[in-house]
Amino acid sequence: MKAGAVELGEVSSKVVAQRRGMNRGASIVDFILRLVAFAGTLGSAIAMGTTDETLPFFTQFIRFKAEYNDLPTFTFFVVANSVVSVYLILSLLLSIYHIVRTGSRSSRVVLIFFDTAMLALVTAGASAASAIVYLAHKGNVRANWFAICQQFNSFCERISGSLIGSFIAMVVIILLILLSAVSISRR
Amino acid sequence: MKAGAVELGEVSSKVVAQRRGMNRGASIVDFILRLVAFAGTLGSAIAMGTTDETLPFFTQFIRFKAEYNDLPTFTFFVVANSVVSVYLILSLLLSIYHIVRTGSRSSRVVLIFFDTAMLALVTAGASAASAIVYLAHKGNVRANWFAICQQFNSFCERISGSLIGSFIAMVVIILLILLSAVSISRR
């Protein structure tokens, strides 16, 4: 009977150790994914923030120049991506804490909440900018909005490309939230 | 010693009962919030989907008419809100299941994942539509896009109003995710 109890104790401590190991693994994946998301948002912010194009012809009064901050939506995109990338760097500290202290749950709940808010922010920035990029490419006949990409070619390529990092970050943050939820449920 | 063990057992069963009660309460709040978010997304989809305006003057060949599907972004907005409202109705079943079975965790993790995906979808729809609504109101001098709201007044009021439900749903879904995370951590 006593031997049975000791065996049971051994088995359960093995299970606990295994779970701890899995949670540590999950925390390391969390850390790496945060770096990926950070690279995505920072890349997007820089790519969009440094975009401008000056056309090679100009009249006496007007120089044809396109900058990202001609359109307020792109300014929002840069701000949103900057905020999220700063948050992601700060959240790395908590991620390291989770690698060390695998059992903590309340800090993971806090992380889920902020991750969710940041997901909303980066999604808002990316999709608002996409809507405008689509308009710049295609224009809209009914609203009489012209496709400015016909003039500003490299400007358009640059703003289209800068969306990619933001969308990658979006997918990665969804994975991060799922990972935190699984870790909490399996402490 | 035995009496102490029984007391301890009573105390811990009380704690368990209390936690169950709290989780049940959280599940009921979850159910109500889902209904609120459903009302928001459905309202947004209907308000946007039924928007059209025909101006009282017309030439021999052209009738000035504005419909939501003149702009692809608004079509996306309607589709995204419809998908999310269908999902919210279906998730009510799982919410009822959580009211009955307060202890289940894996189903809550599944719910967090889908909630997060739906949050991304509704945010994308709402913010893309907002970007276009902003453009319709203000126009953009640099891109030579005119503010169409000067002609289509009631159309613009309608599309602006239809965003509200979507943004309410966004906030409510963030709360839902937080609620699920807290419930999992406190089983």
Side-chain angles (χ1 to χ4, degrees):
Chain A
M1 190 63 185
K2 212 174 180 183
V6 169
E7 246 173 47
L8 206 72
E10 264 177 17
V11 169
S12 75
S13 75
K14 255 187 206 166
V15 168
V16 167
Q18 206 179 8
R19 282 197 178 162
R20 259 192 208 153
M22 281 168 84
N23 267 2
R24 178 157 296 153
S27 297
I28 293 169
V29 172
D30 181 280
F31 186 85
I32 295 166
L33 285 181
R34 270 172 212 283
L35 284 179
V36 172
F38 169 72
T41 50
L42 188 72
S44 280
I46 292 174
M48 180 69 85
T50 55
T51 300
D52 57 355
E53 184 183 7
T54 309
L55 292 189
F57 51 87
F58 48 89
T59 65
Q60 199 173 359
F61 303 108
I62 304 164
R63 245 181 128 198
F64 296 98
K65 194 167 183 230
E67 266 183 303
Y68 82 96
N69 55 11
D70 290 340
L71 290 150
T73 310
F74 293 154
T75 311
F76 172 60
F77 179 83
V78 172
V79 171
N81 275 290
S82 308
V83 168
V84 173
S85 58
V86 168
Y87 162 77
L88 283 167
I89 277 293
L90 291 179
S91 73
L92 284 179
L93 291 175
L94 216 51
S95 189
I96 292 168
Y97 173 76
H98 287 149
I99 295 175
V100 181
R101 292 273 308 260
T102 53
S104 84
R105 286 176 302 156
S106 53
S107 59
R108 281 183 207 269
V109 172
V110 171
L111 206 56
I112 284 190
F113 178 68
F114 282 108
D115 280 354
T116 309
M118 290 299 145
L119 171 67
L121 184 59
V122 77
T123 309
S127 56
S130 304
I132 300 296
V133 167
Y134 180 84
L135 208 58
H137 275 285
K138 299 269 176 177
N140 189 290
V141 181
R142 303 299 303 266
N144 224 0
W145 290 335
F146 309 111
I148 54 169
C149 284
Q150 284 164 4
Q151 284 96 52
F152 296 98
N153 241 319
S154 96
F155 174 76
C156 269
E157 275 170 23
R158 187 74 172 270
I159 56 174
S160 311
S162 68
L163 297 177
I164 297 168
S166 213
F167 278 107
I168 290 174
M170 201 179 108
V171 172
V172 169
I173 294 176
I174 292 179
L175 290 178
L176 283 174
I177 292 169
L178 181 64
L179 207 63
S180 294
V182 170
S183 292
I184 293 174
S185 78
R186 210 183 47 191
R187 58 156 182 150
Chain B
M1 190 64 182
K2 210 172 180 183
V6 169
E7 249 173 43
L8 207 71
E10 262 176 19
V11 169
S12 74
S13 74
K14 255 187 205 167
V15 169
V16 167
Q18 206 179 9
R19 281 196 178 166
R20 262 195 204 149
M22 280 168 85
N23 267 1
R24 177 156 299 151
S27 297
I28 292 170
V29 172
D30 182 281
F31 186 85
I32 294 167
L33 285 182
R34 270 172 211 283
L35 284 179
V36 172
F38 169 73
T41 52
L42 188 72
S44 281
I46 292 174
M48 181 69 86
T50 55
T51 300
D52 58 355
E53 184 182 7
T54 308
L55 293 189
F57 51 87
F58 47 90
T59 67
Q60 200 172 359
F61 302 108
I62 305 165
R63 243 179 129 199
F64 296 98
K65 196 169 179 222
E67 265 182 305
Y68 80 98
N69 55 10
D70 290 340
L71 290 150
T73 310
F74 291 154
T75 311
F76 171 61
F77 179 83
V78 172
V79 171
N81 275 289
S82 307
V83 168
V84 173
S85 58
V86 168
Y87 161 78
L88 284 167
I89 276 292
L90 291 178
S91 73
L92 283 179
L93 292 174
L94 214 54
S95 188
I96 291 169
Y97 174 76
H98 288 149
I99 294 175
V100 181
R101 293 271 308 261
T102 53
S104 84
R105 285 176 303 155
S106 52
S107 59
R108 281 183 208 267
V109 173
V110 171
L111 206 56
I112 283 189
F113 179 68
F114 283 109
D115 280 353
T116 310
M118 290 299 145
L119 170 67
L121 185 59
V122 77
T123 308
S127 56
S130 304
I132 301 296
V133 166
Y134 180 82
L135 208 59
H137 274 285
K138 299 268 177 179
N140 190 291
V141 181
R142 304 298 302 266
N144 223 0
W145 290 335
F146 309 111
I148 55 168
C149 283
Q150 284 163 6
Q151 284 96 53
F152 295 99
N153 241 318
S154 96
F155 174 77
C156 269
E157 276 171 23
R158 188 75 171 270
I159 57 176
S160 312
S162 69
L163 298 177
I164 297 167
S166 214
F167 278 106
I168 290 173
M170 203 180 107
V171 172
V172 169
I173 294 176
I174 293 178
L175 290 179
L176 283 174
I177 292 170
L178 181 65
L179 208 62
S180 295
V182 170
S183 292
I184 293 173
S185 78
R186 210 183 45 194
R187 57 152 185 158

